Amino acid sequence: MLDLLPDLFQFADGGRVQTANAWPRRRRELLDQILDVEYGRLPPAPPATAAELLHRHDVPRFLNAAHAQYRLTAAGERPVSFLLDLLIPAGPGPFPVILTGDSCWRYVTDEITLSVLRRGYILAQFNRLELAADNGSAERVSGLYPAFPEGDFGALAAWAWGYHRCVDFLLTLNEVNPRQIAITGHSRGGKAVLLAGATDERIALTAPNDSGCGGAGCFRIQGPQSETLADILRGFPYWFGPRLRDFIGRETELPFDQHSLKALVAPRALLTTEALGDLWANPTGTWQTHLAAREAWRFLDAEVRLGIRFREGGHAHTAADWTALLDFADAQFRGRRPAEPFDANPFLSQPPAFTWSAPAQTG
Ligand code: GTR
């Protein structure tokens, strides 16, 4: 099915990427196309991201980890502020970090918090809705929107920008290993994470969970009952830039698909965690974007940094997904061998059903 998706290595002018040296230019071209058409342009990075420590104390029930809360402020004509919460393991650092912007839903459970801290990772959490509300209002009055009134970015790009500002700050902390920052998020949060990881090379590991349409899923290849471009733009047009709607029913004319977004992460680490019962998130198409994106990691001789893990069950960011992420991070950052492979094909015994949006017939 790989040939159903746009060729990662073909430049818009018809030329081909022949060597790894030519990849950054192709990466830049894909990035431009994807931002232009799908998400809108992320606002620029601020000249500085300041941090005010609001509170710090040790938490006995979290293995004496230090809980530190900061107010981050991105400088600019209209500064933008939001809160970042850290749990820093006791003991000598520096530590790798797992950062999630999903505290709008809730902070991760105590069970997951403990598993992250026990493995010696900092857990960093923020509320991405402080950067852009998720209420569908066309007003663009809160968060990042008033600071960048000319911007064409949708909420996913604003959320991704929030991840980047957290990274600005994390890189200033002695307790943080600057080469070991991982980001994760679920569903719409996973879409934002994939975009954030694709657009910031300081992020070592990108881990979207059940991110589906507009995330790790595929626009062209759709499993049964999966969310289409028309579906998502009916419900959530404000997540995207204004030009994506031109491609409803014309998905095959998109100059990219979501394997291209994944490929922007290469050769850095990418783990997608998926649920076989989460049909709306298109596990079938997500496997196909994995196979197609793998060509980029292979080309850059970095295949060990690409992983995917399917579990049974439905749409949720479960403790099992977090364990998969920690195992993958341990493999990437500490050379630990995972108990299970990170590229098992879940469709081996039963080839997936899928439909493909074929090009419109002309003439
Ligand atoms: C759904 C949406 C999905 C997914 C999900 C979520 O309603 O159609 O694309 O993002 O919400 O974020 O939980």
Side-chain angles (χ1 to χ4, degrees):
M1 281 192 253
L2 285 188
D3 52 348
L4 300 184
L5 298 180
D7 187 338
L8 287 178
F9 301 100
Q10 189 171 331
F11 285 103
D13 68 5
R16 280 193 76 73
V17 178
Q18 304 286 0
T19 65
N21 287 342
W23 175 253
R25 186 160 72 83
R26 173 62 178 147
R27 180 178 178 276
R28 168 54 54 190
E29 182 175 88
L30 279 171
L31 182 61
D32 276 349
Q33 290 173 337
I34 291 171
L35 294 181
D36 236 35
V37 171
E38 187 170 0
Y39 300 104
R41 301 257 154 207
L42 272 64
T49 300
E52 180 192 359
L53 178 63
L54 303 181
H55 168 78
R56 179 164 175 141
H57 77 284
D58 294 344
V59 188
R61 80 191 158 99
F62 289 150
L63 314 168
N64 281 324
H67 174 222
Q69 187 172 71
Y70 293 87
R71 189 194 325 276
L72 302 190
T73 301
E77 230 168 81
R78 301 179 75 160
V80 178
S81 291
F82 62 103
L83 297 180
L84 175 67
D85 256 86
L86 302 184
L87 280 163
I88 305 167
F95 303 102
V97 181
I98 299 195
L99 166 67
T100 172
D102 280 350
S103 64
C104 42
W105 281 327
R106 58 173 186 183
Y107 289 105
V108 301
T109 62
D110 285 4
E111 178 197 3
I112 292 168
T113 300
L114 281 167
S115 69
V116 172
L117 293 170
R118 262 194 209 107
R119 297 254 201 144
Y121 287 74
I122 293 173
L123 178 61
Q125 302 183 78
F126 73 104
N127 173 358
R128 55 187 158 73
L129 304 197
E130 293 203 74
L131 288 317
D134 194 9
N135 59 13
S137 154
E139 301 292 315
R140 295 170 77 94
V141 285
S142 67
L144 220 42
Y145 296 124
F148 299 97
E150 309 300 323
D152 69 349
F153 56 90
L156 291 170
W159 298 338
W161 187 93
Y163 275 89
H164 296 172
R165 303 295 66 82
C166 294
V167 173
D168 295 344
F169 168 64
L170 289 169
L171 288 173
T172 68
L173 285 184
N174 291 333
E175 287 132 320
V176 167
N177 183 326
R179 289 177 310 281
Q180 298 187 339
I181 296 178
I183 60 173
T184 193
H186 170 62
S187 202
R188 63 197 74 184
K191 304 180 211 293
V193 155
L194 185 52
L195 179 59
T199 49
D200 191 335
E201 292 180 304
R202 300 171 303 171
I203 293 166
L205 195 164
T206 301
N209 183 75
D210 296 355
S211 57
C213 187
C218 194
F219 289 124
R220 288 168 174 79
I221 299 172
Q222 303 247 263
Q225 296 167 49
S226 65
E227 183 174 27
T228 63
L229 183 56
D231 290 330
I232 201 164
L233 289 178
R234 197 177 311 115
F236 306 100
Y238 60 94
W239 287 353
F240 299 92
R243 279 174 286 285
L244 188 58
R245 68 175 68 99
D246 298 344
F247 290 86
I248 294 175
R250 294 172 41 205
E251 287 82 348
T252 53
E253 293 172 41
L254 280 166
F256 55 82
D257 207 309
Q258 294 303 86
H259 67 308
S260 319
L261 179 65
K262 286 182 168 178
L264 301 181
V265 178
R268 290 169 293 128
L270 172 67
L271 174 70
T272 47
T273 42
E274 305 295 332
L276 286 166
D278 187 4
L279 298 181
W280 187 242
N282 193 9
T284 308
T286 302
W287 175 246
Q288 293 306 320
T289 60
H290 170 76
L291 296 181
R294 192 168 67 185
E295 300 303 310
W297 272 267
R298 283 188 172 160
F299 184 74
L300 299 172
D301 201 18
E303 201 179 331
V304 292
R305 289 206 276 278
L306 177 65
I308 190 164
R309 183 62 74 71
F310 287 85
R311 60 166 172 77
E312 300 296 327
H315 192 64
H317 204 173
T318 65
D321 299 314
W322 279 84
T323 300
L325 166 56
L326 290 168
D327 288 349
F328 187 74
D330 274 355
Q332 298 298 323
F333 297 156
R334 296 166 169 160
R336 288 200 191 135
R337 245 183 109 82
E340 286 172 55
F342 278 105
D343 57 358
N345 178 354
F347 301 109
L348 267 184
S349 53
Q350 202 193 355
F354 76 99
T355 55
W356 178 54
S357 39
Q361 297 293 317
T362 50

